[in-house]
């Protein structure tokens, strides 16, 4: 898994590529918690490069959403591949997360 971040005018974009599973979810957890703890509470997470997510990965995203919501921030996901979108639909996460079709739409959500 690879994680990149870039500061935009109205949010921070975190892009995740590769597999997010039990072997590496802690890397993403650490990165997201560091961002939130440093005051970055407007996060757009681009999942265009993610090709697999396990329940551990879903849990980390949910945890970040809860922390940002408590801090009165905003957490948006974008660019889910079809197989990832299906996992979110089956798990009911499409009803929990704000999900945009692409990064540009995600930026406009802020």
């Amino acid at each position: 898994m690879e994680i990149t971040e870039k500061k935009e005018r109205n949010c921070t974009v975190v892009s995740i590529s590769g597999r997010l599973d039990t072997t590496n979810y802690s890397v993403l957890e650490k990165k997201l918690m560091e961002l939130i703890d440093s005051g970055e509470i407007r996060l757009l997470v681009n999942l265009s490069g993610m090709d697999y997510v396990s329940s551990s990965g879903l849990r980390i995203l949910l945890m970040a959403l809860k922390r940002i919501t408590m801090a009165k921030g905003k957490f948006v996901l974008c660019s889910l591949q079809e197989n990832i979108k299906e996992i979110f639909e089956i798990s009911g996460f499409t009803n929990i997360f704000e999900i945009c079709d692409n990064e540009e739409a995600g930026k406009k959500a802020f």
Side-chain angles (χ1 to χ4, degrees), residues 14 21 67 75 80 103:
V14 177
D21 56 30
R67 295 243 345 243
F75 188 82
L80 279 68
E103 191 172 306

Side-chain angles (χ1 to χ4, degrees), residues 8-13 42-45 74-78 98-110:
E8 295 288 332
R9 183 176 50 84
N10 59 351
C11 64
T12 298
V13 179
R42 296 168 57 89
L43 294 182
L44 173 60
V45 180
K74 189 164 186 172
F75 188 82
V76 178
L77 302 175
C78 71
E98 182 173 350
I99 301 173
C100 297
D101 289 337
N102 55 53
E103 191 172 306
E104 278 308 307
K107 289 176 187 175
K108 289 177 183 175
F110 291 90

